Amino acid sequence: MIGSLNGTALTSPELERLLLLLDREPALRGAALGCFADSGLPGAFDRLQDIALHDPDPALRELAAARLEGRAGDETFRLLDAMMADPSPAVRERAARSMAARGEAGADLLKSLAGGGPSQKQKLARRHLLLSGS
């Protein structure tokens, strides 16, 4: 949950102000990724997804993949799947590692990708299935 300095949860208007600040100060986006991953507020996951898929900094996209490791839900699986096609090898690797760490559900998705046609995703899926022992 995104919280204010006094420990209370941010309201939607406060989140909107935070998002505007992040647009103006790109260096703060990395610090906010964990908050976006954990928040249930409308727009928080959308912002995380936007950074994960479109930020020009591959290190930030890789950090987004790492932040998704502990997050449940179909939208997380879809995002990690999309990130496994990122132009950056480091981002693809981190997304596959986060997917493998999702337990049985992550292993099932990696297995479905590993069985597909030859592709970068297939190679990543196979490698991380082997690494995770699934």
Side-chain angles (χ1 to χ4, degrees):
M1 178 64 76
I2 298 176
S4 65
L5 291 176
N6 68 6
T8 61
L10 287 180
T11 64
S12 288
E14 289 170 328
L15 177 63
E16 288 302 316
R17 286 194 297 274
L18 174 62
L19 295 177
L20 289 172
L21 175 64
L22 294 177
D23 284 339
R24 287 186 221 129
E25 297 294 333
L28 297 176
R29 290 195 303 266
L33 284 173
C35 296
F36 293 147
D38 296 337
S39 175
L41 288 174
F45 186 81
D46 293 338
R47 181 49 65 109
L48 172 68
Q49 182 171 290
D50 185 54
I51 292 170
L53 295 176
H54 306 293
D55 199 275
D57 183 357
L60 196 54
R61 296 192 313 271
E62 183 181 355
L63 180 59
R67 296 292 187 186
L68 290 167
E69 185 172 311
R71 192 175 191 285
D74 291 340
E75 62 189 358
T76 301
F77 285 106
R78 285 190 296 275
L79 180 52
L80 286 171
D81 180 43
M83 293 180 79
M84 287 173 60
D86 193 274
S88 166
V91 174
R92 293 191 305 263
E93 282 291 330
R94 190 59 183 100
R97 190 174 344 143
S98 291
M99 185 69 77
R102 301 295 308 156
E104 189 175 323
D108 287 345
L109 182 58
L110 288 174
K111 286 175 187 172
S112 72
L113 293 172
S119 69
Q120 191 68 22
K121 278 187 185 181
Q122 181 192 42
K123 292 173 190 171
L124 282 169
R126 286 181 178 168
R127 183 169 52 248
H128 283 278
L129 282 169
L130 290 172
L131 290 173
S132 68
S134 295

